[in-house]
Amino acid sequence: MNSGQLITPLKNFISRRLDSSVLLFIASLAAIFIANSPFSSLYQSFIEYPIFIQIGNFELFKHGEHTMTLLSFANDVLMVLFFLQVGLEIKQEGLVGELSSARKAIFPVVGAMGGMIVPILVFFLLCSHSPESRGMAIPMATDIAFALAVLSSLGSRVPPALKTFLATLAVADDIGGIIVIALFYSTHLNLVMLLWAIGVLVVLFLLGQLGIRKLWLYYLSTFVVWYLFLQSGIHTTIAGVLVAFVVSARPSIPTQRMVLLIRGMLGLFPEEEQKTAGRAILLPHEQVAVVYTMSQTVRGAVNPVQRMESQLAPIVNFIVLPLFAFVNAGVAFGNISTEQLLNVPLAISAGLFIGKPLGIFTFSYLFLKLTKGIMPVGMTTKNLAALSVLGGIGFTVSLFVASLSYGQPQYATLLNEAKIGIFVGSIVSGLVGFFLLKKFLPQKGKA
């Protein structure tokens, strides 16, 4: 397997996460502005708008005895698509990317572990009492879209090793977040529904082994597993990840065979260029059939994992994440006392700005020292430290974990405080990380 094949998943991962950063930023600013304007009640009514599809006595978007609001619909339904895409990205990296071997993955994965453990400890040191301590996992997440956007703003000065490290760290960070959500944010387990969901996943895996490559089957299975998880007590976003892991990574047609078939079909077309300027072109029925067969052949050469991820990327980046940001980012700054700011907001912002970089840098640096390893080309101790600060930009997944931690009505004040901590910690981390990298990275034209 050549190096081009190895780096493609990582390039796709970086470019697609960058695509969503601008819309996320705009949606978040809009939510904050409206939530602190005279239209705040309208914003509240909007996010609490009921979402339901009812057939007879059966209501689809109902959790327990409550109909989902737009807020819970975004968090418990639409975010399944986000985690499905994340799972597909993780699978690609595990198969042919930076996580495909322990040698390539271990350095950023160790950094990611530090970036998850230390922020939790920092939070707990500052805010260990209940119910505030429910949010100790909030600062462990890194928003890779914003972190990569800040890093990419420095242009060609950024060595490829830094982007690779940050993106791989983010994948490992996503895995850690998924595990935390599965273990600590699932309640009232319904074993029967969980077993049904596992059964569907097993059948889906077996169908893939038998050569079934229909994407509609995977999407339908995602919906079924989502519903079963909704009823089982396991958080629904895990459904998206598990479906992604059983999606077949084998194409219907090997690449070399696809090339041979296409060459053979191209021979059915005339070699001489026809003069068609200004005239409509009607292919003979035989050639129409050949063109259709060619399109099916080319599509069959792309495995379902990549096809699904490509289809989901624009939906997630331009619809799901901006809507999620808009309905979750509406923090209200009024009536917040100093005592409140020194509670959950301080613990989260300190976890992001202090805990994240401290954990990432310390674990990475000690790993290199203990194993007598060397840093990748272009990475230095200083720019690793600066890059670690960008790990404290914890927006999307941090907001998501905050909604899981303080989503109940009795914790509404804590949820608002948590959002303040996320914004402060993320903004400070982004600004400090940017200026540190600007200082430590080599100037253009200098080695």
Side-chain angles (χ1 to χ4, degrees):
M1 189 170 291
N2 59 43
S3 61
Q5 287 175 299
L6 289 175
I7 202 168
T8 296
L10 185 66
K11 284 184 175 179
N12 288 339
F13 176 86
I14 291 173
S15 63
R16 285 170 181 163
R17 290 300 180 92
L18 282 173
D19 286 343
S20 64
S21 59
V22 175
L23 274 179
L24 273 173
F25 183 69
I26 293 172
S28 303
L29 285 182
I32 294 171
F33 175 77
I34 296 173
N36 291 277
S37 74
F39 302 102
S40 59
S41 59
L42 186 62
Y43 173 79
Q44 198 63 32
S45 299
F46 175 73
I47 66 174
E48 292 177 358
Y49 189 83
I51 304 294
F52 63 92
I53 295 177
Q54 190 160 347
I55 304 171
N57 293 325
F58 173 74
E59 187 176 332
L60 179 60
F61 300 122
K62 189 173 184 179
H63 195 187
E65 297 300 318
H66 305 286
T67 298
M68 287 187 180
T69 62
L70 180 60
L71 177 62
S72 56
F73 179 80
N75 292 343
D76 296 334
V77 181
L78 294 182
M79 285 298 281
V80 175
L81 297 178
F82 168 73
F83 279 93
L84 175 60
Q85 186 197 15
V86 167
L88 294 168
E89 289 172 342
I90 291 171
K91 184 161 186 173
Q92 289 182 71
E93 290 299 325
L95 290 171
V96 297
E98 296 299 317
L99 298 179
S100 59
S101 71
R103 182 181 60 83
K104 290 189 292 184
I106 189 67
F107 180 47
V109 167
V110 168
M113 290 173 61
M116 290 183 277
I117 295 170
V118 178
I120 293 175
L121 295 177
V122 170
F123 183 102
F124 193 73
L125 285 172
L126 295 173
C127 193
S128 60
H129 44 280
S130 183
E132 289 84 349
S133 59
R134 293 167 58 92
M136 67 174 66
I138 295 172
M140 68 175 280
T142 295
D143 191 303
I144 189 58
F146 285 122
L148 283 172
V150 174
L151 187 62
S152 297
S153 68
L154 293 162
S156 59
R157 294 177 60 192
V158 181
L162 267 65
K163 290 185 178 180
T164 301
F165 179 88
L166 185 59
T168 309
L169 180 142
V171 174
D173 197 77
D174 285 339
I175 295 172
I178 290 164
I179 293 171
V180 167
I181 291 169
L183 293 179
F184 300 106
Y185 294 100
S186 301
T187 56
H188 308 298
L189 185 64
N190 184 326
L191 190 57
V192 174
M193 289 294 184
L194 180 59
L195 290 175
W196 274 109
I198 293 172
V200 173
L201 291 168
V202 170
V203 170
L204 191 62
F205 173 77
L206 294 175
L207 289 175
Q209 296 302 301
L210 292 173
I212 305 299
R213 304 287 187 268
K214 302 295 183 182
L215 294 194
W216 66 263
L217 180 63
Y218 290 116
Y219 289 125
L220 177 62
S221 299
T222 302
F223 174 78
V224 173
V225 175
W226 162 80
Y227 182 77
L228 292 171
F229 268 49
L230 182 68
Q231 305 305 319
S232 74
I234 303 293
H235 198 271
T236 54
T237 52
I238 306 302
V241 178
L242 293 180
V243 170
F245 287 170
V246 300
V247 172
S248 176
R250 298 177 182 174
S252 303
I253 303 171
T255 305
Q256 198 59 39
R257 177 168 170 74
M258 181 268 291
V259 172
L260 293 174
L261 289 172
I262 293 297
R263 284 175 180 169
M265 285 183 273
L266 286 173
L268 301 175
F269 290 84
E271 294 185 6
E272 295 183 2
E273 184 178 354
Q274 299 178 1
K275 295 181 179 181
T276 57
R279 292 189 290 131
I281 302 173
L282 294 176
L283 295 176
H285 291 297
E286 295 81 3
Q287 290 184 0
V288 171
V290 171
V291 171
Y292 178 76
T293 305
M294 288 172 65
S295 67
Q296 294 293 100
T297 302
V298 171
R299 186 168 61 176
V302 182
N303 69 59
V305 170
Q306 291 178 301
R307 285 163 56 199
M308 282 189 75
E309 202 266 338
S310 295
Q311 289 181 2
L312 285 169
I315 297 172
V316 170
N317 290 341
F318 301 118
I319 298 176
V320 173
L321 289 179
L323 179 60
F324 168 83
F326 183 75
V327 300
N328 280 278
V331 56
F333 291 106
N335 301 319
I336 298 292
S337 66
T338 303
E339 184 180 354
Q340 287 176 302
L341 290 175
L342 296 177
N343 193 26
V344 171
L346 177 62
I348 293 175
S349 56
L352 290 170
F353 180 58
I354 299 173
K356 262 292 188 180
L358 183 63
I360 294 171
F361 177 78
T362 303
F363 274 55
S364 302
Y365 186 76
L366 288 178
F367 171 77
L368 290 178
K369 288 296 182 182
L370 294 173
T371 60
K372 297 182 179 179
I374 58 173
M375 289 187 178
V377 177
M379 181 178 284
T380 65
T381 302
K382 288 184 177 180
N383 63 34
L384 172 61
L387 188 69
S388 299
V389 177
L390 291 187
I393 303 176
F395 185 74
T396 307
V397 180
S398 288
L399 282 175
F400 184 70
V401 175
S403 71
L404 297 179
S405 304
Y406 306 126
Q408 296 86 343
Q410 65 269 31
Y411 301 137
T413 301
L414 292 178
L415 179 59
N416 193 66
E417 294 174 11
K419 293 176 183 179
I420 294 174
I422 292 168
F423 292 143
V424 171
S426 298
I427 292 170
V428 173
S429 296
L431 290 173
V432 173
F434 171 81
F435 286 111
L436 286 176
L437 283 166
K438 188 176 181 181
K439 178 180 179 180
F440 294 141
L441 289 176
Q443 298 297 321
K444 291 182 180 179
K446 295 183 180 180

